[in-house]
Structures are given as structure tokens and as C-alpha cells.
Amino acid sequence: MGQPVNVGVVGCGAISAQYFQTIDRLPQLRLVAVADLDLDRAREAVRPYEGVDVLSVAELLADPRVDVVLNLTIPAAHAEVALQAIAAGKDVYGEKPLAATAADATRVLEAAAAAQVRVGCAPDTVLGTGTQTARKAIDDGLIGRPIAATATMMTPGHERWHPNPDFYYVSGGGPLLDMGPYYITSLVTLLGPVARVIGAASRTRAKRTIGSGPRQGEEIPVTVDTHVTGVLVHASGALSTLVMSFDGAATKAPNIEVHGEQGSLVVPDPNRFDGQVLISGKDGWQELPESAGYVGAGRGVGLLDFAADQELRAGGSLAFHVLDVMESLLAAAGSGTAVTIASTCERPRPVALHSSVS
Ligand SMILES: NC(=O)c1ccc[n+]([C@@H]2O[C@H](COP(=O)([O-])OP(=O)(O)OC[C@H]3O[C@@H](n4cnc5c(N)ncnc54)[C@H](O)[C@@H]3O)[C@@H](O)[C@H]2O)c1
């Protein structure tokens, strides 16, 4: 193995701890510096880790040690921070969505191409054994030609547990832009890119109440639709039916099912790396053994392709296509007409069963 890739993190909020844990246990990656608008938060976040510098954003971007900027800011800041990192000549990998709008994401990808730096984007959960084992089952022909999928995410909303949930209810948020990246990235991994969408959406209430933390009881405004449904017509002809909701109480529907001409698969939660994959057969449902994907992975495993100097599986063109699909679905819901997806992407290459993430 060569030198580890040096990672500088911008944004040290709720999700950052999971990334720090992953980077800490992967010899291919090294956390060298962190930054946040709130420097105290950044200091607190890296307290368990030795030798990590806490810097201003400008200092981190100018730091010659930093190979990759890991952008864990809120969605509204994703494009701005990515563009600053690219202007500093750094590769950048960010939390989802790639940007709050496809127009902003286009600016990011164009700037990266001009600067000849790489752009990656979460989710990397689909590189885990759950989605990858299901993908291998499809690729191996175990369910025959795939014809359809369902994807269901039903929750009363993240304000119950997130201490600063404002971003989930403004432009760039909502159940589709927040959770859709997991489901749609998984569907594209399983069934390929999307050619056309139809949709419908609704909003049940104008305010939400924060359920935890110092702001508990505070009401925050809702300016986006909070129940989004649609059909994704994949380029292959397969049809995926999607329900993404912050308005429901609960569901017993599988996160994702894929139906082929000869069988069906239950695919585990795409917001997790692992989980049980079930296949239908003449004796009912049977569990498939883990046969592909990173075993024991955590958030940040998508950065391994930077370290291996390979084309990114959790890459910019996939993240852009997923954002384009989501934006088009909201446009279709608004207009009541089908929307053709202008972008496309390669199905990311599969992950062989890989146990080095431990
Ligand atoms: N919280 C989760 O469980 C979770 C899970 C998966 C993905 N994500 C994604 O991770 C990202 C961050 O979510 P979070 O929950 O950690 O949010 P958060 O609000 O807890 O943290 C975001 C941090 O970014 C900082 N920040 C914002 N703009 C900045 C800027 N311009 N420069 C420097 N720092 C800036 C904030 O000060 C804050 O500390 C989002 O894109 C979210 O969708 C969150």
C-alpha cells in the first residue's frame, strides 16, 4: 500500500462522527484537519482523535497536506464549499445531495472538469454487502430479467431526533432530497439509469416542532413537499415505484423489492451498508449469503476509490444523475406531466466481496 490519502473535513455536525470512525480504522485514509463555521464544534468533534488540526475553512483549503476535502456541511452549502475546494485544486467528496439543485451541481462538475480534480458523493452505503449482494443476484440472473421495483421510506420526520432539523424542511431538503439519494442510488445500482419520471407530492403541515436538544419545542417552517411519490422508468424499461415520506407514522413494506420475470428480491435498507437479502423461490423466501460488497463498512468507505486511484463508484456523474432524477420527479409532481431525464450515467462497477474494512 502507498501513502494514505490525507482527508480534510469541512462541517463537523451530527454525521461527522461516523466518518471520523471509518477514517480512523482505514489505513488507506488519514484525517489531518477539520473546519467548521463553529470552531468549538469542530474541536469537540475531533477530541477523541490525536494530531488532527482544527482550522478555518480557508486555512484547511490552503493546507498542502490535504488531498481530499470531505464536505459534510448542510445541503445548502454543499456547492459553495465544493467550489471553494475545487478552486484550491483539491479533490472533493461530499455528503448527499451533490448540491441543493442540479444547476449548482452542474457548476461543481464543470469546475472540477476544468480543474482536473475528482468529485465524489455519498451515499456509499450501496457499496456495502446489502445492495451489492442483491446486485450480484440480479447480474447472475437469479431473478431473470428485472421488470420492476418498489422503494418505500416512511417516517414521521427527522425533527423528532435531530437537534437542528431546519435544513430538512427548506429547499434542498424534504424526504426525497434527503432520503431519495439512498433509494435512487440503490435503484440505479440495481437496475441502471433512469430515462423518465412521473410523480405526485403533498405537504401535510406548515410547521414542525423540534423534538430534542437545546431548541426542543421550537417550531420551524416547512417550505417543501413532505410526501413524494413517483414512478421511475429506467432506460432498461424496468419501472420503479417510489414513496418517500416525512408524513407517515410507520410501514411494514420492505425498503426495496426488485421483481424479475423468474423471481423477486427483498433488498435491505439502502441507508445501511449491510442487511438481509431475500429471494423468492418454490419453497418461499430464502436468505442469500453475502456475496459482494464491503463487509463491515461505514460512512466514508466511498473514499477508498480515491486511495486506490480508481474511477469513483460513489462518483459525481452518478450523484448528478440521482439529483437530476429527484429534481425531475418534483417537477413532474408540480406539473402533473412526465419529465424526460436529460442526464444519464454508467452503472457503477460492482464491489467484489471485500473484507478489508474491519
Ligand atoms: N445527520 C444524519 O444522520 C445524516 C445522515 C446521512 C447524511 N447526512 C448528511 O450529512 C450532511 C450534514 O448533516 P448533519 O446532520 O451532520 O448536519 P449538521 O447541521 O449537524 O452539521 C453541519 C455542519 O456543517 C457546518 N457548516 C455549514 N455550512 C458550513 C460552511 N459553509 N462552512 C463550514 N461549515 C459549515 C455547520 O456549522 C455544522 O456544524 C447533510 O448533507 C446531510 O444530508 C446526515
Side-chain angles (χ1 to χ4, degrees):
M1 198 190 80
Q3 288 295 308
V5 167
N6 286 336
V7 181
V9 173
V10 179
C12 298
I15 200 60
S16 63
Q18 291 187 34
Y19 279 89
F20 297 152
Q21 284 161 17
T22 304
I23 294 169
D24 194 47
R25 70 195 167 104
L26 288 176
Q28 299 93 328
L29 305 173
R30 178 165 55 203
L31 181 63
V32 292
V34 295
D36 196 292
L37 295 176
D38 182 339
L39 280 178
D40 286 340
R41 189 177 295 168
R43 269 185 217 104
E44 190 55 35
V46 291
R47 192 184 295 280
Y49 304 99
E50 276 178 21
V52 180
D53 291 336
V54 178
L55 305 174
S56 70
V57 175
E59 286 169 342
L60 185 144
L61 296 179
D63 191 325
R65 294 171 306 162
V66 172
D67 300 313
V68 180
V69 173
L70 175 55
N71 179 3
L72 304 182
T73 59
I74 55 171
H78 285 177
E80 172 203 327
V81 170
L83 286 166
Q84 287 172 19
I86 292 164
K90 309 286 193 194
D91 288 339
V92 59
Y93 180 96
E95 252 303 335
K96 48 77 192 168
L98 182 55
T101 65
D104 282 349
T106 300
R107 291 196 296 131
V108 170
L109 293 186
E110 286 179 354
Q116 295 189 310
V117 299
R118 297 186 291 168
V119 175
C121 187
D124 52 3
T125 44
V126 300
L127 305 180
T129 51
T131 300
Q132 289 292 323
T133 294
R135 178 199 173 141
K136 183 161 169 32
I138 293 170
D139 291 353
D140 289 349
L142 300 191
I143 61 167
R145 186 167 65 97
I147 52 170
T150 58
T152 308
M153 193 289 299
M154 184 72 67
T155 153
H158 296 335
E159 73 278 12
R160 288 170 309 145
W161 58 269
H162 198 297
N164 294 300
D166 314 64
F167 71 87
Y168 290 118
Y169 295 102
V170 295
S171 175
L176 182 65
L177 284 176
D178 177 47
M179 297 301 284
Y182 298 106
Y183 288 80
I184 297 172
T185 305
S186 184
L187 290 169
V188 172
T189 298
L190 297 167
L191 300 174
V194 179
R196 205 167 72 250
V197 291
I198 57 171
S202 60
R203 191 178 310 182
T204 50
R205 38 197 201 279
K207 289 181 177 164
R208 299 269 173 159
T209 307
I210 298 178
S212 71
R215 297 169 62 201
Q216 186 170 7
E218 184 183 325
E219 287 193 323
I220 55 171
V222 176
T223 62
V224 291
D225 284 336
T226 46
H227 185 91
V228 182
T229 64
V231 176
L232 318 183
V233 182
H234 293 264
S236 68
L239 303 178
S240 291
T241 305
L242 197 72
V243 179
M244 300 281 121
S245 184
F246 284 163
D247 289 345
T251 178
K252 284 185 78 175
N255 297 89
I256 295 179
E257 281 185 338
V258 179
H259 305 286
E261 283 182 312
Q262 290 154 29
S264 294
L265 285 173
V266 174
V267 183
D269 186 349
N271 191 16
R272 292 178 52 91
F273 288 87
D274 55 4
Q276 211 182 28
V277 180
L278 301 175
I279 189 163
S280 66
K282 59 180 178 355
D283 300 323
W285 293 98
Q286 286 188 331
E287 185 175 353
L288 285 175
E290 284 181 345
S291 62
Y294 289 113
V295 178
R299 286 179 207 267
V301 75
L303 286 162
L304 282 178
D305 285 333
F306 281 100
D309 208 18
Q310 286 180 339
E311 190 187 335
L312 305 180
R313 276 171 271 226
S317 64
L318 170 61
F320 181 83
H321 180 61
V322 169
L323 178 58
D324 193 13
V325 169
M326 295 190 296
E327 212 168 68
S328 301
L329 181 52
L330 292 173
S335 68
T337 56
V339 172
T340 299
I341 308 297
S343 68
T344 187
C345 69
E346 295 289 326
R347 225 177 143 207
R349 64 188 196 288
V351 183
L353 191 65
H354 207 292
S355 58
S356 74
V357 188
S358 56

Tab-separated table of all heavy atoms in Angstrom, residues 184-217:
chain	number	residue	atom	x	y	z
A	184	ILE	N	-32.590	5.942	-4.629
A	184	ILE	CA	-32.419	6.046	-6.086
A	184	ILE	C	-31.017	5.576	-6.490
A	184	ILE	O	-30.847	4.933	-7.519
A	184	ILE	CB	-32.743	7.479	-6.568
A	184	ILE	CG1	-34.215	7.774	-6.261
A	184	ILE	CG2	-32.472	7.632	-8.065
A	184	ILE	CD1	-34.644	9.201	-6.491
A	185	THR	N	-30.009	5.867	-5.654
A	185	THR	CA	-28.670	5.345	-5.961
A	185	THR	C	-28.695	3.814	-5.947
A	185	THR	O	-28.070	3.159	-6.794
A	185	THR	CB	-27.629	5.871	-4.947
A	185	THR	OG1	-27.689	7.291	-4.936
A	185	THR	CG2	-26.218	5.440	-5.317
A	186	SER	N	-29.440	3.253	-5.009
A	186	SER	CA	-29.552	1.797	-4.967
A	186	SER	C	-30.287	1.284	-6.210
A	186	SER	O	-29.851	0.313	-6.846
A	186	SER	CB	-30.285	1.370	-3.684
A	186	SER	OG	-30.326	-0.029	-3.583
A	187	LEU	N	-31.382	1.952	-6.586
A	187	LEU	CA	-32.142	1.509	-7.765
A	187	LEU	C	-31.300	1.619	-9.038
A	187	LEU	O	-31.383	0.756	-9.915
A	187	LEU	CB	-33.434	2.323	-7.893
A	187	LEU	CG	-34.492	2.033	-6.811
A	187	LEU	CD1	-35.618	3.069	-6.857
A	187	LEU	CD2	-35.060	0.619	-6.950
A	188	VAL	N	-30.487	2.676	-9.145
A	188	VAL	CA	-29.621	2.811	-10.328
A	188	VAL	C	-28.529	1.744	-10.305
A	188	VAL	O	-28.165	1.184	-11.334
A	188	VAL	CB	-29.028	4.245	-10.409
A	188	VAL	CG1	-27.970	4.343	-11.511
A	188	VAL	CG2	-30.141	5.274	-10.665
A	189	THR	N	-28.027	1.443	-9.101
A	189	THR	CA	-27.029	0.366	-8.970
A	189	THR	C	-27.634	-0.975	-9.397
A	189	THR	O	-26.992	-1.788	-10.052
A	189	THR	CB	-26.547	0.275	-7.508
A	189	THR	OG1	-25.910	1.508	-7.166
A	189	THR	CG2	-25.576	-0.869	-7.289
A	190	LEU	N	-28.911	-1.189	-9.040
A	190	LEU	CA	-29.553	-2.471	-9.319
A	190	LEU	C	-30.083	-2.558	-10.750
A	190	LEU	O	-29.970	-3.611	-11.395
A	190	LEU	CB	-30.710	-2.699	-8.333
A	190	LEU	CG	-30.306	-2.797	-6.853
A	190	LEU	CD1	-31.541	-2.706	-5.965
A	190	LEU	CD2	-29.534	-4.086	-6.584
A	191	LEU	N	-30.668	-1.451	-11.234
A	191	LEU	CA	-31.437	-1.517	-12.488
A	191	LEU	C	-30.938	-0.562	-13.577
A	191	LEU	O	-31.505	-0.525	-14.662
A	191	LEU	CB	-32.918	-1.214	-12.200
A	191	LEU	CG	-33.604	-2.180	-11.222
A	191	LEU	CD1	-35.007	-1.703	-10.891
A	191	LEU	CD2	-33.645	-3.591	-11.811
A	192	GLY	N	-29.910	0.224	-13.280
A	192	GLY	CA	-29.358	1.136	-14.279
A	192	GLY	C	-30.030	2.493	-14.264
A	192	GLY	O	-30.955	2.756	-13.488
A	193	PRO	N	-29.570	3.399	-15.150
A	193	PRO	CA	-30.030	4.792	-15.124
A	193	PRO	C	-31.519	4.940	-15.480
A	193	PRO	O	-32.135	4.020	-16.011
A	193	PRO	CB	-29.146	5.477	-16.166
A	193	PRO	CG	-28.636	4.370	-17.024
A	193	PRO	CD	-28.566	3.142	-16.169
A	194	VAL	N	-32.037	6.125	-15.162
A	194	VAL	CA	-33.466	6.418	-15.325
A	194	VAL	C	-33.659	7.327	-16.543
A	194	VAL	O	-32.914	8.287	-16.731
A	194	VAL	CB	-34.013	7.111	-14.048
A	194	VAL	CG1	-35.485	7.458	-14.199
A	194	VAL	CG2	-33.775	6.212	-12.835
A	195	ALA	N	-34.683	7.014	-17.330
A	195	ALA	CA	-34.921	7.786	-18.557
A	195	ALA	C	-36.070	8.781	-18.417
A	195	ALA	O	-36.098	9.822	-19.089
A	195	ALA	CB	-35.229	6.821	-19.712
A	196	ARG	N	-37.060	8.487	-17.553
A	196	ARG	CA	-38.278	9.309	-17.487
A	196	ARG	C	-38.926	9.129	-16.131
A	196	ARG	O	-38.800	8.062	-15.519
A	196	ARG	CB	-39.244	8.837	-18.583
A	196	ARG	CG	-40.239	9.850	-19.056
A	196	ARG	CD	-40.939	9.430	-20.347
A	196	ARG	NE	-41.890	8.347	-20.163
A	196	ARG	CZ	-41.728	7.120	-20.609
A	196	ARG	NH1	-40.647	6.795	-21.291
A	196	ARG	NH2	-42.647	6.196	-20.411
A	197	VAL	N	-39.619	10.168	-15.640
A	197	VAL	CA	-40.317	10.035	-14.348
A	197	VAL	C	-41.709	10.656	-14.432
A	197	VAL	O	-41.956	11.591	-15.196
A	197	VAL	CB	-39.547	10.742	-13.191
A	197	VAL	CG1	-38.255	10.021	-12.876
A	197	VAL	CG2	-39.277	12.205	-13.506
A	198	ILE	N	-42.621	10.121	-13.610
A	198	ILE	CA	-43.876	10.808	-13.307
A	198	ILE	C	-43.978	10.890	-11.786
A	198	ILE	O	-43.346	10.107	-11.074
A	198	ILE	CB	-45.114	10.091	-13.891
A	198	ILE	CG1	-45.188	8.650	-13.381
A	198	ILE	CG2	-45.126	10.137	-15.399
A	198	ILE	CD1	-46.492	7.957	-13.746
A	199	GLY	N	-44.770	11.835	-11.268
A	199	GLY	CA	-44.794	11.962	-9.819
A	199	GLY	C	-45.990	12.723	-9.293
A	199	GLY	O	-46.738	13.362	-10.050
A	200	ALA	N	-46.181	12.638	-7.972
A	200	ALA	CA	-47.183	13.430	-7.256
A	200	ALA	C	-46.645	13.655	-5.847
A	200	ALA	O	-45.937	12.807	-5.304
A	200	ALA	CB	-48.526	12.699	-7.208
A	201	ALA	N	-46.971	14.824	-5.248
A	201	ALA	CA	-46.412	15.151	-3.932
A	201	ALA	C	-47.394	15.982	-3.138
A	201	ALA	O	-48.282	16.636	-3.701
A	201	ALA	CB	-45.097	15.908	-4.098
A	202	SER	N	-47.237	15.957	-1.791
A	202	SER	CA	-48.121	16.746	-0.940
A	202	SER	C	-47.365	17.216	0.303
A	202	SER	O	-46.260	16.750	0.592
A	202	SER	CB	-49.354	15.928	-0.544
A	202	SER	OG	-48.956	14.773	0.170
A	203	ARG	N	-47.999	18.111	1.058
A	203	ARG	CA	-47.399	18.708	2.265
A	203	ARG	C	-48.483	18.733	3.325
A	203	ARG	O	-49.533	19.321	3.100
A	203	ARG	CB	-46.974	20.138	1.908
A	203	ARG	CG	-46.126	20.835	2.891
A	203	ARG	CD	-45.742	22.211	2.371
A	203	ARG	NE	-45.205	22.201	1.002
A	203	ARG	CZ	-44.765	23.288	0.364
A	203	ARG	NH1	-44.792	24.467	0.954
A	203	ARG	NH2	-44.311	23.196	-0.866
A	204	THR	N	-48.272	18.087	4.471
A	204	THR	CA	-49.371	17.989	5.436
A	204	THR	C	-49.439	19.154	6.406
A	204	THR	O	-50.509	19.525	6.857
A	204	THR	CB	-49.264	16.708	6.286
A	204	THR	OG1	-47.947	16.625	6.817
A	204	THR	CG2	-49.577	15.478	5.490
A	205	ARG	N	-48.287	19.736	6.799
A	205	ARG	CA	-48.370	20.844	7.740
A	205	ARG	C	-47.290	21.878	7.462
A	205	ARG	O	-46.219	21.546	6.930
A	205	ARG	CB	-48.316	20.373	9.188
A	205	ARG	CG	-47.389	19.245	9.497
A	205	ARG	CD	-47.771	18.643	10.865
A	205	ARG	NE	-46.676	17.910	11.451
A	205	ARG	CZ	-46.355	16.669	11.113
A	205	ARG	NH1	-47.038	16.023	10.178
A	205	ARG	NH2	-45.337	16.063	11.703
A	206	ALA	N	-47.571	23.131	7.859
A	206	ALA	CA	-46.703	24.254	7.522
A	206	ALA	C	-45.573	24.432	8.526
A	206	ALA	O	-44.616	25.173	8.277
A	206	ALA	CB	-47.529	25.544	7.448
A	207	LYS	N	-45.683	23.769	9.696
A	207	LYS	CA	-44.631	23.899	10.721
A	207	LYS	C	-44.325	22.544	11.333
A	207	LYS	O	-45.189	21.669	11.375
A	207	LYS	CB	-45.093	24.845	11.832
A	207	LYS	CG	-45.144	26.288	11.401
A	207	LYS	CD	-45.590	27.178	12.538
A	207	LYS	CE	-45.556	28.622	12.067
A	207	LYS	NZ	-46.297	29.505	12.941
A	208	ARG	N	-43.115	22.389	11.834
A	208	ARG	CA	-42.698	21.195	12.557
A	208	ARG	C	-42.137	21.623	13.904
A	208	ARG	O	-41.605	22.723	14.033
A	208	ARG	CB	-41.599	20.467	11.775
A	208	ARG	CG	-42.044	19.995	10.401
A	208	ARG	CD	-42.588	18.603	10.490
A	208	ARG	NE	-43.178	18.180	9.230
A	208	ARG	CZ	-43.365	16.916	8.888
A	208	ARG	NH1	-43.000	15.944	9.691
A	208	ARG	NH2	-43.927	16.604	7.751
A	209	THR	N	-42.198	20.724	14.895
A	209	THR	CA	-41.712	21.060	16.230
A	209	THR	C	-40.472	20.231	16.547
A	209	THR	O	-40.508	18.994	16.460
A	209	THR	CB	-42.811	20.775	17.279
A	209	THR	OG1	-43.993	21.453	16.871
A	209	THR	CG2	-42.392	21.275	18.663
A	210	ILE	N	-39.377	20.907	16.924
A	210	ILE	CA	-38.122	20.215	17.233
A	210	ILE	C	-38.314	19.376	18.495
A	210	ILE	O	-38.829	19.857	19.509
A	210	ILE	CB	-36.969	21.229	17.417
A	210	ILE	CG1	-36.737	22.019	16.121
A	210	ILE	CG2	-35.680	20.513	17.826
A	210	ILE	CD1	-35.664	23.083	16.202
A	211	GLY	N	-37.881	18.109	18.412
A	211	GLY	CA	-38.187	17.165	19.494
A	211	GLY	C	-37.051	16.885	20.446
A	211	GLY	O	-37.227	16.128	21.400
A	212	SER	N	-35.845	17.450	20.205
A	212	SER	CA	-34.721	17.137	21.097
A	212	SER	C	-33.738	18.302	21.102
A	212	SER	O	-33.819	19.203	20.263
A	212	SER	CB	-33.999	15.865	20.626
A	212	SER	OG	-33.296	16.140	19.423
A	213	GLY	N	-32.806	18.270	22.049
A	213	GLY	CA	-31.715	19.253	22.089
A	213	GLY	C	-32.123	20.578	22.679
A	213	GLY	O	-33.251	20.748	23.172
A	214	PRO	N	-31.212	21.557	22.613
A	214	PRO	CA	-31.455	22.861	23.259
A	214	PRO	C	-32.651	23.619	22.687
A	214	PRO	O	-33.229	24.478	23.361
A	214	PRO	CB	-30.155	23.649	23.005
A	214	PRO	CG	-29.238	22.784	22.248
A	214	PRO	CD	-29.873	21.436	22.038
A	215	ARG	N	-33.021	23.295	21.438
A	215	ARG	CA	-34.140	24.024	20.803
A	215	ARG	C	-35.458	23.238	20.896
A	215	ARG	O	-36.428	23.590	20.208
A	215	ARG	CB	-33.786	24.317	19.342
A	215	ARG	CG	-32.566	25.225	19.180
A	215	ARG	CD	-32.101	25.277	17.734
A	215	ARG	NE	-33.099	25.830	16.845
A	215	ARG	CZ	-33.137	25.633	15.523
A	215	ARG	NH1	-32.219	24.866	14.949
A	215	ARG	NH2	-34.087	26.160	14.786
A	216	GLN	N	-35.496	22.208	21.736
A	216	GLN	CA	-36.703	21.367	21.839
A	216	GLN	C	-37.946	22.232	22.063
A	216	GLN	O	-37.946	23.139	22.894
A	216	GLN	CB	-36.552	20.389	23.006
A	216	GLN	CG	-37.686	19.401	23.098
A	216	GLN	CD	-37.400	18.279	24.099
A	216	GLN	OE1	-36.416	18.324	24.810
A	216	GLN	NE2	-38.266	17.295	24.137
A	217	GLY	N	-39.000	21.945	21.304
A	217	GLY	CA	-40.245	22.701	21.425
A	217	GLY	C	-40.346	23.854	20.431
A	217	GLY	O	-41.443	24.359	20.169
